[in-house]
Amino acid sequence: MNYTLNCNGRLLSLEEPQVMGILNVTPDSFYAGSRVQTERDIVSRAQQIVTEGGSIIDVGACSTRPDSEPATEQEEMERLRGALGIIRREMPDAIISVDTFRPDVARMAVEEFGVDIINDVGTPTTHHLPPTTHHLTPMHRMVTGLQVPYIYMSRKATMRDILLDCAEVMDTLRAMGQKDIILDPGFGFGKTLEENYAVLNNLERMQMTGLPVLVGVSRKSMIYKCLDIDPAQALNGTTVLNTIALTKGASILRVHDVREAVEAVKLSNCKYPK
């Protein structure tokens, strides 16, 4: 997709799909390999993401795994302040997104640390309306004021409803002056195993929005439950689904395993000599 994100004045082209590496400063994220707590671990993980070819570091400080007890807003802010301060000190030019559903956390991250992208997974209470009902959330108001690229994730269960939901949000945000919008179909959120795969099989339909699509399937239950394994064994399955997503137009892959995702992007774009 010929789309460029304006990340605090730095332009990130999505003409070739980009890889977003996950860095979780939480004690309870579903995949243990993504959790980092100490300063040394945070630096090491951030450097690993960039060294392996990731163009975005996605920092999360509040687990959204099923049945988790969310951190309080204060806990989330404290964790993020520690991690973002370390990353900005060690890697001042890194493009950083923050994974949060709280508007005030988003504001803190952008205003205090110059975070480049807000990755909003929302909360169940903001996704209960019928898909054709106009809805404006506090996060939408916040992000349009911050004017940073915004990732909207839909919790709708079918591709039809995802497209309707995203269309409503796109119209709302554009009317408020939001420039850069990325859409996430929300694999693993509000969907059964069968619904996740139905959305993946129809992912190319999201190209009709004209906006870049982020896919986050990395080591999720739609992989390990289907294969009767655990998240630690789900790398191969993740790479398979990421490759399918790339063939259907994904512009950003959000992953735990950066090197393997970068290789999938390179091979999917490989131009063989005649």
Side-chain angles (χ1 to χ4, degrees):
M1 171 172 284
N2 188 15
Y3 195 101
T4 301
L5 300 178
N6 186 340
C7 299
N8 285 316
R10 294 171 293 171
L11 301 181
L12 178 63
S13 172
L14 300 182
E15 186 172 0
E16 179 176 299
Q18 301 297 305
V19 174
M20 170 188 284
I22 299 167
L23 190 160
N24 282 322
V25 285
T26 58
D28 58 345
S29 296
F30 79 93
Y31 175 52
S34 71
R35 306 173 201 155
V36 291
Q37 299 292 306
T38 69
E39 180 172 339
R40 177 181 294 180
D41 289 342
I42 291 169
V43 172
S44 176
R45 175 58 179 161
Q47 289 177 338
Q48 179 189 26
I49 289 170
V50 173
T51 299
E52 293 185 354
S55 54
I56 306 167
I57 301 171
D58 189 51
V59 184
C62 180
S63 176
T64 54
R65 67 179 175 83
D67 303 319
S68 65
E69 184 68 28
T72 66
E73 185 167 304
Q74 182 178 354
E75 288 172 333
E76 186 180 7
M77 283 191 178
E78 288 176 355
R79 292 171 183 173
L80 279 174
R81 283 191 172 106
L84 294 174
I86 292 166
I87 298 168
R88 278 292 183 229
R89 184 191 71 214
E90 298 294 325
M91 307 177 69
D93 296 328
I95 294 178
I96 302 174
S97 64
V98 160
D99 181 344
T100 186
F101 58 85
R102 292 177 168 127
D104 287 338
V105 173
R107 179 174 57 188
M108 178 277 294
V110 173
E111 292 181 350
E112 295 185 19
F113 298 97
V115 160
D116 303 279
I117 301 169
I118 295 300
N119 183 9
D120 175 21
V121 299
T123 61
T125 57
T126 66
H127 293 265
H128 70 284
L129 298 173
T132 55
T133 299
H134 178 85
H135 52 285
L136 177 64
T137 71
M139 181 64 91
H140 295 161
R141 294 189 182 94
M142 179 63 71
V143 78
T144 54
L146 295 171
Q147 278 301 305
V148 294
Y150 173 63
I151 301 168
Y152 173 73
M153 190 195 80
S154 178
R155 291 174 180 254
K156 302 303 180 183
T158 68
M159 181 54 72
R160 174 185 177 276
D161 286 351
I162 289 169
L163 289 171
L164 290 170
D165 181 40
C166 288
E168 289 285 342
V169 172
M170 287 163 50
D171 289 346
T172 299
L173 292 175
R174 282 172 168 163
M176 297 177 69
Q178 179 64 22
K179 295 180 175 62
D180 288 330
I181 306 168
I182 303 103
L183 303 177
D184 178 353
F187 291 105
F189 290 86
K191 301 168 183 64
T192 65
L193 185 64
E194 293 78 10
E195 287 168 339
N196 277 309
Y197 280 99
V199 170
L200 180 63
N201 289 336
N202 290 282
L203 190 66
E204 69 276 3
R205 292 179 61 192
M206 294 195 71
Q207 298 301 299
M208 70 178 64
T209 66
L211 293 178
V213 174
L214 178 148
V215 167
V217 295
S218 185
R219 296 182 182 268
K220 285 187 174 178
S221 62
M222 65 181 288
I223 298 169
Y224 63 77
K225 287 183 178 179
C226 186
L227 298 177
D228 195 23
I229 55 177
D230 60 41
Q233 300 170 303
L235 172 56
N236 185 59
T238 297
T239 303
V240 170
L241 297 196
N242 278 337
T243 303
I244 293 171
L246 290 168
T247 67
K248 291 176 175 288
S251 293
I252 302 174
L253 300 178
R254 181 179 181 271
V255 301
H256 300 94
D257 308 281
V258 173
R259 179 175 60 83
E260 290 81 358
V262 169
E263 290 177 353
V265 169
K266 288 181 178 178
L267 291 175
S268 69
N269 285 336
C270 189
K271 304 296 189 295
Y272 295 98
K274 293 183 180 179

